[in-house]
Amino acid sequence: MEATITLEWVEANLEAHLIQMYKHLHQHPELSTQEVETQAFILRELDRLNIPRKIMATTGVCAEIRGGRPGKTVLLRADIDALPIGEQTGLPYASRKEGVMHACGHDAHTVVGLGVAAALQERAADLAGTVKIMFQPSEEVHPGGATRMIQEGILENPRVDAAIGIHTNPYLPAGKLGLKDGYILANSDRIYISLIGKGGHASAPDQGIDAIAMAGQFLTGLQAIVSRQLSPFDNAVITIGTISGGYTANAIADRVDLAGTVRTLTAETRDRVQAKLESLLQAVAGYWGGTFTHRYERGYPATWNDKAMTDTVRAAAAACFGEDSIIELEHGYMSGDDFAYLAQAVPSVFIEWGTGTEGEESFAWHHPKFRVNLESLKYGVAVTAQSIVGFLEDGVREG
Ligand code: NI
């Protein structure tokens, strides 16, 4: 018999517990690689549910629900870490840790992982295959916990056929899901640049090499990479977030430091932006007679949503709470996530999960007033659990 999960079942059997778990995790955030209490909380909950689990990547956990019928293996990823941000929501269940906050909603992802575990374990006898739930540490700090869990073998024994990721989205209200085939998240890289000139008196610029003038020309050229060096149908963002240099009003600055980020979708665009950046630095330094140092740090790659997996979620959302719960996104987000490494390994889908509140101002991820609508938890659990069931049943039908 097929194990169906309905929103009504989640409401009646799990919702109160989901809210309670969320409030606890939200009050006790832990930074990347330090998720010790969070891990203990996850282990206690899995033990209470009699779900086999093992510790991975020091502070991570992999739970495994073994179905009573043979079938495929699907992995659900929930990241569990928080950020070095002081919470300003004023909520009664706000963070109790000074300067640390679940400002990206990974506490809600953890709750979805545990809620799905509870819902599927209860139906394990009817489940066709295996479900791995990956409670992953350190998403926020590159190189991230996903790589480590993959290296430690989470995709093997049994071999994982597909993966599902879910992320809070404060701009979509509770009860809605944002879905998109193809690219959903971007390549996320960092750049660190120093332009080096020669100091001197401000009244004799020809005797020095003005690093501030170099920086001005560099920044102007940088803006032309996206507008003039890439196809208008391509997508990229280059942002310089910090700039510093110089000593005083009447001296030539001998050095300017800049740091920023580059976001792209395809590997080709990523390579092209990096190459153009380097040739621009060479050209500017060459013209001024100065020098430069730079570091281009590649972060998480872009995340690709497999069409069949995305259709699995569309079918689950329609079954759980109706067709009009699905918002087809015109474009993805230029943020990055190490879920991308799973999506590179197996067909995957990353769900933009509505956690906003209608009629209330939305605060972005990583904002001190970021918040998750408690109403959204049941939707996240229902659609994710039903997507897993749908994937496994499709696997049985395909043989
Ligand atoms: Ni996040």
Side-chain angles (χ1 to χ4, degrees), residues 79 104-106 109 139-140 167 337 365-366:
D79 44 3
C104 201
H106 298 185
H109 305 166
E139 186 279 327
E140 299 288 359
H167 206 293
D337 192 299
W365 303 271
H366 299 204

Side-chain angles (χ1 to χ4, degrees), residues 8 84 119 124 129 151 161 197 241 267 270 285 318 320 326 345 349 360 374:
E8 292 69 32
Q151 280 164 355
D161 296 296
R270 189 185 216 181
C320 281
I326 302 166
V349 57
E360 219 175 72
L374 299 177

Side-chain angles (χ1 to χ4, degrees), residues 153-214:
I154 195 158
L155 294 177
E156 306 301 327
N157 298 319
R159 175 160 295 203
V160 169
D161 296 296
I164 298 175
I166 185 163
H167 206 293
T168 57
N169 190 317
Y171 299 104
L172 303 174
K176 303 280 183 194
L177 298 176
L179 295 173
K180 183 186 170 292
D181 302 328
Y183 286 114
I184 183 76
L185 299 173
N187 297 307
S188 174
D189 303 333
R190 295 273 172 103
I191 47 175
Y192 301 93
I193 291 160
S194 299
L195 297 167
I196 296 150
K198 192 176 144 206
H201 198 281
S203 64
D206 57 307
Q207 304 295 311
I209 296 171
D210 188 348
I212 287 180
M214 281 170 78

Side-chain angles (χ1 to χ4, degrees), residues 83-94:
L83 287 153
I85 293 171
E87 180 158 351
Q88 292 173 19
T89 60
L91 289 167
Y93 53 90

Side-chain angles (χ1 to χ4, degrees), residues 325-359:
S325 64
I326 302 166
I327 295 171
E328 293 293 340
L329 300 172
E330 278 174 39
H331 56 77
Y333 293 86
M334 294 308 265
S335 50
D337 192 299
D338 65 351
F339 179 78
Y341 296 115
L342 296 164
Q344 285 182 334
V346 295
S348 296
V349 57
F350 194 74
I351 304 168
E352 293 290 332
W353 167 34
T355 52
T357 308
E358 216 128 24

